[in-house]
Amino acid sequence: MIIRLARPEDAEPIWDTLRPTLRAGETYAVSPDLTREEALAYWFSPAHEVFVAEEEGRVLGTYYMRANQPGGGRHVANCGYMTATAAQGRGVARAMGEHSLEHARRRGFKAMQFNFVVSTNERAVGLWQRLGFSIAGTLPGAFEHPRLGFVDVYVMFRAL
C-alpha cells in the first residue's frame, strides 16, 4: 500500500469511498444526501491537502489535512479520514493515521486535533487512542445518529 497526494483522476474512486459513509450518516456531521459534486467539493476544499491510500492502482481510502483554525490556531492540524468499504479491517485507516501524523510533523504542525469524533464510532475512537490521541472533551448529545438518536461527540488531541 502506498499513500500519495490525490490527483484529479482519483475523484471517482474517492467518491466511491465517501458515498457509503456519508449515506449511512453515522460518523460525519454532513448531510447524508450530499450530491457527488457537493461531497467532492467538501473533500477537495481549497484548504484541504488530500491523500489516497492505494494498492495496485486501487484506492483503499482517503484523508485530508488542513490547519484546524486560522491565525493563532494554524499550528494545529486537523484531518478527516474514510476507508473504502471493501478495505475495512485491513489496516488502511491506521496507515493513513500514521502517515498523517508524520506529514503533519514535516509540515511544521505542533499538534493534531479532531473536532468531532462521534462516540459510537468505536473503531475510530480506539484507533486514535492507540495512535496517542486523548479525549480532550466531550460534547454531550452533539450528534444526531440516524439509529441511536443524540449521542456524544469527542474532541481528540495529541501533540506532535
Side-chain angles (χ1 to χ4, degrees), residues 17-118:
T17 299
L18 301 178
R19 184 177 54 245
T21 300
L22 296 179
R23 293 292 181 259
E26 297 179 351
T27 57
Y28 269 78
V30 298
S31 171
D33 300 322
L34 287 179
T35 65
R36 175 188 182 278
E37 292 72 26
E38 291 167 333
L40 290 173
Y42 161 71
W43 205 254
F44 282 97
S45 162
H48 294 178
E49 187 176 14
V50 180
F51 294 86
V52 294
E54 176 184 77
E55 184 177 73
E56 297 177 2
R58 210 176 70 229
V59 171
L60 305 177
T62 182
Y63 82 89
Y64 68 77
M65 179 178 291
R66 67 182 179 110
N68 192 49
Q69 299 293 328
R74 70 182 173 271
H75 63 286
V76 178
N78 172 262
C79 297
Y81 308 81
M82 286 202 203
T83 301
T85 304
Q88 290 178 359
R90 294 183 44 203
V92 176
R94 181 179 192 80
M96 291 190 299
E98 290 170 347
H99 184 273
S100 67
L101 290 167
E102 182 55 36
H103 185 69
R105 281 186 203 95
R106 284 194 310 270
R107 289 212 32 222
F109 286 110
K110 304 298 182 203
M112 189 174 289
Q113 178 177 318
F114 302 144
N115 302 319
F116 211 87
V117 182
V118 178

